[in-house]
Amino acid sequence: MSKMVRYTLTPRNSLRKFIAGVSWDTDILSFPNANADILDAALAKCNFSAATDPTVDDDEADGYATGSRWHNTTDHTIFVCESATEGEAVWRQVWPALAVDMDLSDYQLVSGMSAYQLSSVLTTRGDIPFRGAAAWERLAKGTSGQFLKQGANDPVWATFAPADVTFAATAKILGRKTAGGGAGEECSLDELLDLIGSPAQGDIIYRGASAYARLAAGTAGQVLMSGGASANPSWDSSRIDGWVAAPTLTYSAADAPVYMVTISGDYSAIITAGMRIKLTDDSAVKYFIVVKSAYSEPNTTLTLYGGTDYALSGGAISSPFYSMVKAPAGFPLDPAKWTVTTTGTSLCSQSNPTAGTWYDTNLDLVVPIGAWMVGHQAFVDASRASSGWAQVYTTLSTTTNTETHQQFTVKQGVYTGSSANYLANYIEKNRHLTVTSKTTFNYLYCTPQSGQSAIYVSGDQNPTVLYAICAYL
């Protein structure tokens, strides 16, 4: 009679496994026990190169059994099968371990608080735990840009304010004065400003094209000069002699005895009427008085009066200077050099003049733009053959036959009741006058009386002089 031993086939690997303690043959001396499952588990199907995690469908129908291992090489996680029931497989992640799968009561993150307790306190991403008065508490997440600040007892989220920074003393600024990188330091204002260049007494700080810069101290007597927009300041020695370096002057036009030059930009409030100009033209230093300054984008036009001695050639102008003082070094102050003059040496006469009619002496004075002391001086005569008034008037007029400026009119006369009269007298009169354009004044004379024999302007006896002295002297 054959001997039989009972066994079962494993569904995972079809290996025969003896059933412990069960035999059809009483001659079997020993029987395997249930520990034969160890062999079965060691030979269970495993997946060591999966790209995803196992699911409930990775079960006994696929050959997996309790104890099977699954490696997700993408996420670097390891799973062990706890149950391979078809369609209900249970896989447990063992690496890295999940907090929910652990008995966290034995893991103390901080004294008196377990990880389990921590997870129950922190409910939202960004929460922070802190120790309250009697237990661990949750500090809810703050808003973007806030920082963690220590309150009177508990930490709080706060928005930065200057009061959050404290200093050891007054007049301090947070910066870094030590060479090289490193932590912030308290700096005084002096220490901060000394970071700009190499400091020395008398230096001045100014804004350069792209950063602040230091202008080293100048020499005694120099003055600080602005370079204007888009330029740096500088020390200037020119004001020692009364002259200030001017921007580039470009010849524009001539209307002798005045000349027009232009400056790029608006200098109408900087170089004004009455100021002096010094420049080099045609290899010679020349002086002028500004009689008009006007801006019309993009240039300022200066009208210059050169007096009796100076004219512009129309060429390039170099070394321009301007001055607001009355007598800068080298500037000629003789009024005769800054006077427009017309002189007449002939006799002007009118026989049997019509009363009230103005007659032209054919002498005129051309007054340039600007402010002037305008006047005239002459020797005049008037005669009549009978008793009565002998009178003669003279004036400067912008016409040749009418009185246009009464302030320039001079009246002379003599009266007798019994015989003929003759008047001879020297007259002079002047007044301040400002003209906005070049103006010609004619020298006229007349008599208001009828019956006169003649009237005269006797330049042959004493020169007749018409003049305009620049009022900016």
Side-chain angles (χ1 to χ4, degrees):
M1 181 176 180
S2 62
K3 299 177 181 179
M4 300 294 293
V5 178
R6 294 189 67 184
Y7 61 86
T8 181
L9 296 177
T10 65
R12 295 161 291 177
N13 46 35
S14 299
L15 296 176
R16 294 180 180 181
K17 180 175 73 173
F18 290 106
I19 300 175
V22 179
S23 176
W24 292 347
D25 190 336
T26 59
D27 294 334
I28 296 298
L29 297 178
S30 63
F31 304 93
N33 59 25
N35 286 335
D37 287 339
I38 295 174
L39 175 64
D40 180 51
L43 298 175
K45 179 181 178 180
C46 297
N47 187 344
F48 294 108
S49 60
T52 60
D53 293 343
T55 67
V56 295
D57 294 323
D58 295 306
D59 50 29
E60 60 186 3
D62 297 321
Y64 295 103
T66 301
S68 293
R69 295 180 67 182
W70 182 293
H71 288 217
N72 182 340
T73 59
T74 301
D75 292 339
H76 311 292
T77 52
I78 302 174
F79 298 82
V80 174
C81 182
E82 292 185 347
S83 173
T85 303
E86 186 174 356
E88 299 177 358
V90 177
W91 293 85
R92 184 71 60 194
Q93 181 177 325
V94 296
W95 178 262
L98 298 176
V100 295
D101 296 329
M102 301 171 64
D103 182 1
L104 298 175
S105 61
D106 294 330
Y107 295 89
Q108 299 288 321
L109 298 182
V110 291
S111 177
M113 185 176 190
S114 69
Y116 173 76
Q117 292 169 317
L118 181 64
S119 65
S120 66
V121 171
L122 305 182
T123 62
T124 306
R125 179 181 178 182
D127 291 351
I128 294 178
F130 71 95
R131 178 66 182 180
W136 286 93
E137 299 181 22
R138 163 184 174 258
L139 176 62
K141 64 179 290 187
T143 59
S144 177
Q146 287 186 311
F147 70 97
L148 192 61
K149 178 181 177 181
Q150 178 61 53
N153 294 299
D154 299 331
V156 295
W157 293 109
T159 301
F160 179 79
D164 294 316
V165 180
T166 58
F167 294 90
T170 58
K172 296 292 182 180
I173 301 170
L174 187 61
R176 182 165 177 80
K177 56 190 175 183
T178 303
E185 302 169 311
E186 288 186 358
C187 306
S188 67
L189 180 59
D190 287 340
E191 291 171 331
L192 184 67
L193 295 177
D194 282 348
L195 297 178
I196 305 176
S198 299
Q201 184 175 1
D203 291 353
I204 292 178
I205 293 174
Y206 67 92
R207 177 66 181 180
S210 59
Y212 281 94
R214 184 182 298 275
L215 176 64
T219 58
Q222 286 186 312
V223 295
L224 188 64
M225 285 290 296
S226 171
S230 303
N232 297 331
S234 61
W235 294 111
D236 185 78
S237 301
S238 61
R239 289 206 179 193
I240 296 175
D241 61 5
W243 294 106
V244 179
T248 300
L249 301 182
T250 303
Y251 178 86
S252 176
D255 188 13
V258 299
Y259 302 85
M260 278 65 76
V261 296
T262 60
I263 305 174
S264 178
D266 186 0
Y267 284 82
S268 59
I270 300 174
I271 303 177
T272 58
M275 289 188 179
R276 277 58 166 153
I277 296 290
K278 180 175 76 170
L279 54 82
T280 299
D281 170 65
D282 198 21
S283 302
V285 175
K286 301 178 180 180
Y287 299 93
F288 296 84
I289 295 176
V290 180
V291 294
K292 182 179 180 181
S293 177
Y295 174 70
S296 178
E297 191 177 2
N299 297 323
T300 299
T301 298
L302 301 180
T303 302
L304 308 180
Y305 173 52
T308 60
D309 294 352
Y310 306 109
L312 288 180
S313 66
I317 296 171
S318 62
S319 302
F321 296 87
Y322 70 95
S323 178
M324 63 182 66
V325 301
K326 178 179 180 179
F331 187 85
L333 291 176
D334 183 357
K337 292 183 177 294
W338 304 102
T339 301
V340 179
T341 304
T342 298
T343 301
T345 58
S346 299
L347 172 65
C348 298
S349 63
Q350 179 64 45
S351 300
N352 303 314
T354 301
T357 297
W358 287 94
Y359 299 96
D360 189 3
T361 66
N362 294 315
L363 294 175
D364 58 50
L365 176 70
V366 179
V367 181
I369 296 172
W372 305 87
M373 174 65 76
V374 179
H376 59 98
Q377 58 188 33
F379 191 85
V380 295
D381 302 86
S383 63
R384 64 180 301 131
S386 60
S387 62
W389 280 100
Q391 289 182 297
V392 60
Y393 294 176
T394 59
T395 193
L396 288 171
S397 171
T398 55
T399 73
T400 59
N401 55 15
T402 58
E403 180 189 48
T404 59
H405 290 69
Q406 191 177 42
Q407 67 266 35
F408 290 127
T409 301
V410 178
K411 300 178 180 181
Q412 293 291 310
V414 62
Y415 177 82
T416 179
S418 59
S419 62
N421 282 333
Y422 184 82
L423 167 70
N425 206 354
Y426 182 82
I427 55 95
E428 181 175 8
K429 192 171 188 180
N430 54 54
R431 292 289 185 271
H432 281 287
L433 181 70
T434 299
V435 294
T436 57
S437 61
K438 189 174 185 178
T439 305
T440 299
F441 286 87
N442 301 284
Y443 197 44
L444 310 181
Y445 65 121
C446 80
T447 180
Q449 299 296 322
S450 299
Q452 289 197 186
S453 302
I455 54 176
Y456 309 89
V457 175
S458 304
D460 56 335
Q461 297 184 45
N462 200 71
T464 303
V465 179
L466 314 180
Y467 60 88
I469 305 171
C470 185
Y472 296 123
L473 286 177

